[in-house]
Amino acid sequence: MSLSGVLRKLPSFNAIHCHLNFVGRIARQQPYSMYQPFVKEPTYNIEKLEQLIESGEAKKREFVPVKAARSDQNVSVFHDELTSKFINMVMEKGHKEIATKLVETAYMKIKQMQLAKYYKATTDAERAEIELNPIVIFHKALENCKPVLQLTPIKRGGATYQVPIPITENRARFLAMKWMILESREKERKVHFPERLAYELLDAFNNTGKVVKRKQDLHKQCETNRAYAHYRWG
Amino acid sequence: MAVLRELVVFPSKCLRGVRSYFLSAPLFQNGFLKLNESVSKDGHALDLEQSDTKKISKAMKSYMERAKIHDNFIKQQLHEYNIGKRHLANMMGKDPEFFTQADVDEAIRYLFPSGLFDPRARPMMKHPDEIYPKRKAAEFDVNGRPYHSLFYTSKPNYYTLMHDLAVKFKQLDRHEDKIISRGIQDQKPTELFLFGSEWIPKQKVENVLLETLTDAQYENLIKTFERFSQHPYSALEKDFIMQFRRQLAAQVEIQQVPELMRDESGRPYMTYNTRRKTSNAAVKVIGQGTGVISINGNDIHFFQREQDKKQIIFPLQFSDMLGKVDVVATVDGCGTSAQSGAIRLGISMCLRSFVNAETIERMRLAGLLSFDPRTRERKKPGQAGAREKFTWKKR
């Protein structure tokens, strides 16, 4: 094989591999999907759009059709992608208005509690430390709840082992949100969901509370099962 | 000794012979797109019939019979076509000598009016070349020996193309080696000339090669081309690659932006009718406004849900036209989400006439100018819903 052949062996292999994936995606098209597989997702966020144009990716998309923006996507200053995702997870049986109201009430509670703390504080230094924006608190709280490892059952020699494996960004976000909702839904008299959610979010923001503990428990379990980690391969 | 030397020389000679023929084949010299012309060489194949009648193989004989029948048939069709054309010209009162295909179509449309929906089902009169598929000329000589070394693959043109690609790949590799050995390494990946075009579909490849391909073969060809075009020096073979690519139109150019209209008071306006799910919306966006929004006679509070109100504002805010235009919309059918979605598309489409091309492209990337085709999925028989199954336990 020529020198350049050897040099290009790896990237060209990757190219073929990518292409095979691409072909596979066409074959495994979602049944009843209204869009063709090559149609791109919309980029409605103005900052992201700016990035898209700067990186030159927008130039390439000139020739590709784009999906219509969803009905919960907009450029309002109050719009937050993560929050709308969370609202969808809180939602039951399609009652989106109720879910939105619950989450927004929780935000309001957080704001009230933080403001109360803010006014109680005497010095400017103390006040500067208190975060007043509930959306920032929510983002930080979720970040604190995201696990980095998870356990998956793998069968080896007749026995099933709980094997720790790395977790994807999507799955980590899902677990954090799920735990947050489950902890907030625990029945307790006279404390309703929004209030509990507000407490949980504030706790998680400070890296304490049940949800963070749940994450740490999972990490601990992964730590004890680290001997099985090699079962992931082979 | 002489015999031995000949034995040694023979294989290499033989190979060289095949190779040189292979390269001098008309296919390679004239490029692939001229393959269609090989049909006209039918006559040349038939000349052999008169000159050498002694040693004709069975394959050639049957081919010549078939070619003769086909030739006569096409001749007959052409004759009928020409006569028909003259008749039509006389009927339409025009000069038969200058009667074109466009005139024929017009005459047919006038003389044989059809209520059929599908254009292909309506009466027509076309040149036989357009109606009857072209055939390959004889691929073997009078002795039944094929001209082409890849004849027995049954798809010689396809495999020649693949072989040609491999040869060119090696040439590029050699070129790259040369460049590297000289110590020049500033070649950029040449993705540029592929920009805005795509590989031609299977049907077109088949027309070029005059051979039917399987899906797997087409996929293989495209994969090979893809790899070939990713070679850092593929720009050297640009012309060759571009024969198998076709230009794409930019998405913005596909949708024509209509000119603004003026009402009695001289204010510019634009209208658009659209739908989403089963709701219909008629939207009118009026320029030089103050941001008044009217939906079915109400203001924006026609929608009670905040999400719907935000949907109405979305395109206006995105294109920075909030407070500069008035919106008048009527909407009916379906739920509030679909209604607001329909109005959103209507407003975005109208706003195209008010903003510059750059903003239109940004709106397109944000998914504001796309029709949302998603609708309720039907319930399936034997299932509880569209996807949900009935509860079922084996025992």
Side-chain angles (χ1 to χ4, degrees):
Chain A
M1 187 179 281
S2 68
L3 172 68
S4 57
V6 176
L7 282 178
R8 218 173 333 91
K9 206 178 176 190
L10 239 160
S12 71
F13 171 74
N14 282 344
I16 296 168
H17 193 70
C18 293
H19 192 80
L20 281 179
N21 278 349
F22 176 68
V23 171
R25 234 181 299 139
I26 294 172
R28 270 182 275 110
Q29 197 190 331
Q30 269 271 321
Y32 291 92
S33 175
M34 289 306 218
Y35 293 107
Q36 292 287 314
F38 53 81
V39 182
K40 293 275 187 208
E41 290 289 335
T43 316
Y44 64 96
N45 189 311
I46 288 174
E47 278 171 31
K48 280 183 188 168
L49 191 62
E50 246 20 283
Q51 281 174 13
L52 198 75
I53 291 167
E54 254 175 50
S55 68
E57 184 66 27
K59 198 81 187 146
K60 279 184 194 169
R61 290 202 187 173
E62 252 175 44
F63 303 96
V64 189
V66 178
K67 288 181 188 178
R70 303 284 170 90
S71 52
D72 59 350
Q73 295 174 337
N74 56 57
V75 281
S76 152
V77 283
F78 302 108
H79 179 73
D80 180 36
E81 214 169 324
L82 203 64
T83 307
S84 67
K85 183 85 203 153
F86 190 64
I87 288 171
N88 283 350
M89 283 195 66
V90 171
M91 175 165 72
E92 278 180 5
K93 293 184 179 177
H95 293 296
K96 195 161 191 165
E97 275 164 281
I98 296 176
T100 316
K101 209 173 151 190
L102 291 176
V103 174
E104 278 173 3
T105 319
Y107 279 1
M108 200 177 73
K109 288 254 155 63
I110 291 174
K111 185 88 184 179
Q112 284 169 350
M113 281 189 274
Q114 293 301 86
L115 271 180
K117 244 187 250 173
Y118 182 81
Y119 289 128
K120 221 182 228 174
T122 43
T123 59
D124 277 353
E126 273 177 25
R127 285 187 169 184
E129 271 179 22
I130 295 168
E131 178 59 57
L132 291 174
N133 189 350
I135 290 180
V136 174
I137 291 176
F138 171 69
H139 279 243
K140 181 86 189 295
L142 268 196
E143 207 52 53
N144 289 343
C145 297
K146 276 184 189 171
V148 289
L149 284 170
Q150 67 175 352
L151 292 169
T152 181
I154 291 179
K155 239 183 183 179
R156 284 283 173 276
T160 315
Y161 299 100
Q162 295 292 324
V163 179
I165 58 165
I167 197 167
T168 61
E169 173 61 31
N170 246 352
R171 173 84 183 152
R173 189 188 62 192
F174 168 76
L175 281 179
M177 285 186 177
K178 185 183 154 194
W179 291 340
M180 187 66 71
I181 292 166
L182 283 181
E183 292 300 342
S184 311
R185 272 201 187 130
E186 251 177 35
K187 286 274 184 296
E188 207 175 290
R189 272 188 192 180
K190 289 192 179 172
V191 186
H192 296 298
F193 177 82
E195 215 162 322
R196 286 203 63 117
L197 180 60
Y199 287 135
E200 291 297 340
L201 282 177
L202 275 178
D203 278 349
F205 176 68
N206 297 323
N207 234 337
T208 53
K210 288 177 190 169
V211 186
V212 173
K213 191 165 177 299
R214 216 164 166 164
K215 178 191 85 172
Q216 285 162 350
D217 285 350
L218 179 66
H219 284 174
K220 242 178 241 167
Q221 247 181 330
C222 291
E223 189 70 28
T224 53
N225 285 3
R226 67 187 296 179
Y228 304 138
H230 66 283
Y231 284 138
R232 211 182 136 208
W233 304 279
Chain B
M1 197 62 202
V3 175
L4 211 137
R5 201 191 304 144
E6 257 193 41
L7 266 176
V8 173
V9 172
F10 175 67
S12 69
K13 230 182 192 176
C14 173
L15 277 178
R16 213 186 310 134
V18 169
R19 182 97 195 115
S20 62
Y21 170 69
F22 201 37
L23 286 172
S24 63
L27 212 87
F28 283 85
Q29 286 176 346
N30 303 338
F32 295 96
L33 295 173
K34 289 187 180 172
L35 271 173
N36 286 337
E37 287 172 14
S38 60
V39 177
S40 61
K41 284 171 190 162
D42 257 358
H44 157 75
L46 288 170
D47 285 345
L48 295 165
E49 196 184 1
Q50 283 104 36
S51 61
D52 189 3
T53 44
K54 276 179 196 170
K55 280 185 182 177
I56 293 179
S57 72
K58 273 188 178 174
M60 193 64 204
K61 220 182 237 172
S62 78
Y63 164 75
M64 282 193 302
E65 274 166 24
R66 268 183 285 125
K68 209 173 183 181
I69 292 169
H70 182 254
D71 224 39
N72 286 341
F73 175 72
I74 292 289
K75 230 180 248 174
Q76 177 68 20
Q77 293 295 320
L78 195 65
H79 179 67
E80 280 179 12
Y81 172 77
N82 286 330
I83 287 190
K85 211 165 81 168
R86 293 189 82 86
H87 277 309
L88 279 179
N90 286 335
M91 271 190 256
M92 301 302 283
K94 286 189 181 166
D95 187 2
E97 296 302 319
F98 301 102
F99 206 60
T100 59
Q101 181 61 44
D103 295 328
V104 171
D105 292 341
E106 177 61 26
I108 293 281
R109 201 184 59 75
Y110 176 73
L111 295 167
F112 305 95
S114 170
L116 292 171
F117 177 75
D118 195 342
R120 285 179 306 169
R122 294 178 203 152
M124 61 174 169
M125 198 174 103
K126 300 261 186 231
H127 196 274
D129 279 359
E130 281 180 60
I131 292 176
Y132 299 101
K134 286 175 181 171
R135 288 193 181 182
K136 276 186 183 177
E139 293 170 283
F140 37 81
D141 61 10
V142 278
N143 299 322
R145 285 172 180 276
Y147 293 130
H148 205 293
S149 62
L150 291 171
F151 173 78
Y152 290 106
T153 59
S154 83
K155 283 168 190 176
N157 290 348
Y158 170 73
Y159 286 105
T160 315
L161 178 57
M162 293 295 268
H163 186 272
D164 204 36
L165 263 171
V167 169
K168 281 180 191 293
F169 215 112
K170 280 197 173 168
Q171 281 173 358
L172 288 188
D173 271 359
R174 235 172 284 143
H175 179 73
E176 193 184 12
D177 283 351
K178 219 191 283 170
I179 297 283
I180 288 173
S181 66
R182 275 185 208 152
I184 313 161
Q185 269 189 335
D186 58 345
Q187 196 72 25
K188 286 170 201 158
T190 45
E191 207 187 57
L192 284 169
F193 68 87
L194 294 183
F195 178 68
S197 61
E198 63 174 10
W199 298 113
I200 57 175
K202 193 179 150 212
Q203 186 73 44
K204 286 225 168 154
V205 176
E206 284 177 345
N207 286 348
V208 170
L209 297 179
L210 287 175
E211 280 160 10
T212 50
L213 303 182
T214 62
D215 285 344
Q217 280 170 334
Y218 173 71
E219 208 169 86
N220 220 343
L221 180 72
I222 295 303
K223 239 183 263 174
T224 318
F225 261 118
E226 198 82 42
R227 249 187 88 195
F228 183 59
S229 57
Q230 274 164 7
H231 196 286
Y233 291 91
S234 58
L236 295 174
E237 295 291 345
K238 186 184 167 186
D239 293 342
F240 174 67
I241 293 174
M242 289 318 269
Q243 281 183 338
F244 291 87
R245 288 184 76 83
R246 66 172 179 196
Q247 284 296 315
L248 287 169
Q251 288 291 313
V252 174
E253 285 165 18
I254 293 171
Q255 297 176 339
Q256 289 291 319
V257 180
E259 285 277 305
L260 277 177
M261 294 178 280
R262 302 253 166 201
D263 60 9
E264 309 90 63
S265 55
R267 285 173 75 189
Y269 75 96
M270 182 46 61
T271 57
Y272 198 83
N273 294 348
T274 182
R275 58 196 177 79
R276 159 109 167 81
K277 289 190 183 177
T278 56
S279 70
N280 294 300
V283 180
K284 184 180 182 186
V285 174
I286 312 163
Q288 299 168 11
T290 52
V292 181
I293 292 172
S294 143
I295 301 162
N296 284 0
N298 304 52
D299 61 354
I300 196 168
H301 297 298
F302 172 79
F303 293 115
Q304 280 158 16
R305 288 173 64 187
E306 204 174 327
Q307 183 181 297
D308 300 332
K309 292 176 197 171
K310 279 179 183 167
Q311 283 307 296
I312 305 296
I313 299 295
F314 184 10
L316 296 166
Q317 202 175 359
F318 188 86
S319 60
D320 203 18
M321 294 296 276
L322 199 60
K324 292 176 190 166
V325 290
D326 294 343
V327 176
V328 181
T330 53
V331 65
D332 60 4
C334 216
T336 53
S337 275
Q339 287 186 349
S340 60
I343 295 177
R344 187 190 80 184
L345 180 61
I347 293 175
S348 321
M349 285 304 207
C350 290
L351 281 178
R352 286 179 308 165
S353 308
F354 289 90
V355 295
N356 56 14
E358 196 193 333
T359 317
I360 294 177
E361 176 62 12
R362 284 165 65 98
M363 281 167 83
R364 193 188 72 80
L365 288 173
L368 283 171
L369 298 180
S370 318
F371 175 73
D372 198 339
R374 297 173 302 152
T375 49
R376 178 189 160 277
E377 188 175 326
R378 66 155 294 186
K379 184 200 169 296
K380 317 287 183 309
Q383 278 175 217
R387 305 276 170 100
E388 194 186 12
K389 317 289 184 296
F390 294 126
T391 328
W392 185 75
K393 258 186 171 178
K394 204 169 180 184
R395 56 186 63 84

